[in-house]
Amino acid sequence: MNKVLSSLMGVVDSIISFLPNIIGALIFLLIAWIIAVIVKKIIVKGLGALGFEEWLQKKGLVDAGKGKSESEGIIQTFGKLAYFLVFLLFLPSVFDSLNMQSVSKPIKGMMSSILNFSPKIIVAVIILVLGIFIAKVLGTLVKNILGSLNVSRFNKYVNFGENKDSIDIPTATGWVITALIGLFFTVQALNTVNLSVLNKIGEAIIGYLPLVISAVIILALGLIGGNLISKLINKSTGNAMLAEIVKYLVIIVSVFMTLDQLNFAQSIVNVAFLLILGAVAVAFAIAFGIGGKSFAEKQLSKFSDKIDSDKKQ
């Protein structure tokens, strides 16, 4: 009986001695909850005051019909993320209070890694946002300058088909400038994070960029050259059909040269080009043979008559 009582007393003593740990953990949880609620409200109210809802609707990131409800949902999501992050920060202290170091130690390690890595992420985000802003400003500036110089009058040389204004030179040039500058800043942001995988991606992008630029130049020259040659042939011969055929042939050749420059399945591209070229040649030969049959008969008849007349003489 004494042994049972002593065991019970030991259990009670253990519980009583552990009560301060439980109280400490509860206090940490209470503090975490208070701070989490405050942080959540600050983020939700702050984003609302900054016009985050209107910005989401303006950028088309939320459905216009459900604009307000969807944007409010996104803001609430940010608030909840902050809420849980605050709790995550307090978890090691809670587990330490409960003498559960085996649980708190991995969480501390994870939090330490996140805190050490977060400055790089913040700097990368700043670089990316700043780069996108600069890219948009310069792209818009180039577009406006070209527009003021009335470069759009040359649109007819880079368009084909029924829609002669499908490609606007100032707009396209501004977009290319924006994309290139934004790409450079994106690569720099990836390098700032200093992860080997992201660094390799950045190096690959920069290494491939010259090929993209040269491919764009080739394609642009093909479009311009095709349209110029087409107009020249149409003006000199008056044969609109021949002019269109030559134009599209030049464009097709430039497209295949562009794909080859991009190292895009070169063997397939080369085979496809030869097949298309052969098909065009065969089609032209057949069309000329059928269409020029009467012409050939007349010429052969004239040649035969000439031979007969020479024999009689």
Side-chain angles (χ1 to χ4, degrees):
M1 188 68 179
N2 290 330
K3 289 182 179 180
V4 174
L5 288 174
S6 61
S7 298
L8 289 174
M9 290 300 295
V11 171
V12 172
D13 289 339
S14 299
I15 294 173
I16 292 173
S17 63
F18 197 68
L19 278 176
N21 301 76
I22 297 174
I23 293 171
L26 291 174
I27 291 172
F28 276 118
L29 285 174
L30 180 62
I31 295 171
W33 177 76
I34 294 171
I35 295 175
V37 170
I38 293 172
V39 170
K40 179 183 176 182
K41 287 185 177 180
I42 290 173
I43 289 176
V44 172
K45 297 291 185 182
L47 290 176
L50 291 173
F52 189 67
E53 297 177 8
E54 291 78 8
W55 182 82
L56 289 174
Q57 295 176 25
K58 183 179 178 182
K59 295 297 181 181
L61 299 175
V62 295
D63 189 2
K66 306 176 183 177
K68 190 170 181 62
S69 60
E70 283 195 8
S71 56
E72 286 179 352
I74 293 174
I75 292 174
Q76 289 293 331
T77 301
F78 283 127
K80 289 177 181 178
L81 284 174
Y83 181 88
F84 288 114
L85 280 175
V86 172
F87 264 104
L88 188 62
L89 289 172
F90 276 88
L91 277 181
S93 300
V94 173
F95 287 118
D96 282 339
S97 299
L98 297 173
N99 292 326
M100 298 174 66
Q101 281 77 18
S102 60
V103 179
S104 64
K105 191 174 180 180
I107 297 176
K108 284 181 180 179
M110 181 186 68
M111 295 302 299
S112 177
S113 300
I114 293 173
L115 291 175
N116 290 333
F117 196 66
S118 56
K120 295 180 181 179
I121 296 177
I122 293 171
V123 172
V125 170
I126 292 173
I127 291 173
L128 188 60
V129 172
L130 184 63
I132 292 173
F133 175 75
I134 294 173
K136 285 188 175 181
V137 170
L138 292 179
T140 304
L141 181 63
V142 171
K143 175 185 173 183
N144 292 336
I145 291 174
L146 294 178
S148 64
L149 295 174
N150 197 22
V151 177
S152 297
R153 67 180 184 274
F154 299 110
N155 286 351
K156 58 185 178 181
Y157 295 114
V158 296
N159 289 283
F160 58 94
E162 296 181 358
N163 189 359
K164 298 299 182 181
D165 293 319
S166 58
I167 300 176
D168 182 56
I169 294 177
T171 303
T173 306
W175 182 87
V176 170
I177 295 295
T178 301
L180 288 176
I181 296 175
L183 191 60
F184 278 118
F185 276 96
T186 301
V187 172
Q188 186 58 44
L190 293 177
N191 290 333
T192 303
V193 177
N194 198 24
L195 287 177
S196 59
V197 176
L198 297 180
N199 288 342
K200 289 179 181 178
I201 292 174
E203 291 173 2
I205 292 173
I206 293 298
Y208 196 66
L209 194 58
L211 298 179
V212 175
I213 294 173
S214 58
V216 170
I217 293 173
I218 291 171
L219 186 60
L221 290 176
L223 291 173
I224 295 171
N227 280 282
L228 287 174
I229 294 172
S230 173
K231 291 180 183 298
L232 182 63
I233 292 174
N234 192 15
K235 186 176 180 180
S236 58
T237 64
N239 192 331
M241 183 178 178
L242 178 62
E244 287 294 309
I245 291 173
V246 172
K247 179 177 75 172
Y248 284 105
L249 281 175
V250 172
I251 291 173
I252 289 171
V253 170
S254 67
V255 168
F256 278 100
M257 290 177 65
T258 300
L259 294 174
D260 184 69
Q261 183 66 24
L262 293 172
N263 296 327
F264 183 78
Q266 289 180 318
S267 59
I268 297 175
V269 169
N270 292 334
V271 171
F273 175 71
L274 292 175
L275 288 174
I276 292 175
L277 190 63
V280 171
V282 171
F284 182 77
I286 293 173
F288 181 77
I290 295 174
K293 183 179 179 181
S294 59
F295 175 77
E297 287 179 352
K298 288 180 181 179
Q299 296 301 318
L300 289 173
S301 178
K302 287 181 181 180
F303 184 69
S304 178
D305 292 341
K306 186 178 180 182
I307 292 175
D308 291 339
S309 63
D310 289 340
K311 284 182 179 180
K312 289 179 181 179
Q313 292 177 357

